[in-house]
Amino acid sequence: MVPVDGGLTAFPGPEGSTMAGAVLGHGADAAVFLHQTSTSGFCGFATYAEWAASRGVRAVLIDLCGWGRSACKGAFAADTEAQVRLVVDWARAHGARRVTLVGASMGGAIALGVGQQAGADAVVDLSGPAVWQGVPTAGEAARATTVPLFLAVAPGDREMDPAALRSAVSASPSQHKRFVSTSGGHGWGMLNDGPLNEPVWTPLARDVLAWVQGDYALR
């Protein structure tokens, strides 16, 4: 079990669809967490989300359609942009003044691929593959991304194509963009050097938190 207290939240969608998730914290700066391909679904982000919530962030965790307890129907089930927009809009309707997508691996590719179109104010991509089904490539998406863009990947994570991801960030017209070459790890695993019940947050974890809070200064 993930050592985080809190209940589930249902995000109703079109045609009777429901996306499952959880909300931690009440801050005006919201982070919507998009999970990687893991049987734990959004729970893999739960301890980091709790930590961010304790520092003033409204953390919104969701299971994308086809994962966890989400039950999606019709065209919505295959439309990742619509799924992300649903939760971004929910966060704004509940008081968020800024909404940042934070995605890991699959979720990172989706965050970069559809984030700006879905209404996000900023994007964080942790090890999102350069090519993922159903969304534009990292290069295509980055060239259309003008909101703040943060991308981190380990050089040894070759299946993600780090060189292509670095080039994608360079090509983005965003005034605030950052590429981080990490020492290792993948996705949400790059945020914590300890066990789930006793996390040791990495410098990357703190940089991601700053990005969510609107601090885009290079360090």
Side-chain angles (χ1 to χ4, degrees), residues 45-120:
F45 262 131
T47 52
Y48 182 74
E50 182 183 56
W51 180 74
S54 73
R55 282 152 179 78
V57 170
R58 184 188 306 251
V60 184
L61 297 149
I62 62 163
D63 278 330
L64 294 161
C65 290
W67 296 87
R69 299 188 182 186
S70 290
C72 304
K73 301 177 181 180
F76 182 75
D79 190 340
T80 51
E81 181 181 330
Q83 294 164 36
V84 174
R85 186 186 308 113
L86 177 76
V87 185
V88 169
D89 288 349
W90 183 96
R92 291 200 195 285
H94 287 77
R97 68 185 178 198
R98 177 172 43 242
V99 181
T100 301
L101 294 181
V102 181
S105 195
M106 172 186 74
I110 292 172
L112 176 56
V114 305
Q116 181 158 331
Q117 292 80 356

Side-chain angles (χ1 to χ4, degrees), residues 21-46:
V23 181
L24 305 173
H26 304 282
D29 295 325
V32 173
F33 291 94
L34 305 181
H35 60 85
Q36 57 196 57
T37 53
S38 169
T39 56
S40 66
F42 72 71
C43 290
F45 262 131

Side-chain angles (χ1 to χ4, degrees), residues 161-216:
D161 198 347
L165 295 174
R166 182 187 289 273
S167 295
V169 174
S170 295
S172 169
S174 174
Q175 292 185 344
H176 302 288
K177 57 187 179 181
R178 186 176 181 191
F179 179 87
V180 175
S181 183
T182 66
S183 59
H186 178 78
W188 54 43
M190 298 189 296
L191 301 175
N192 178 18
D193 278 340
L196 280 178
N197 61 340
E198 293 183 8
V200 178
W201 303 118
T202 64
L204 177 65
R206 300 178 189 281
D207 287 348
V208 170
L209 176 65
W211 209 260
V212 169
Q213 295 173 324
D215 179 3
Y216 308 131

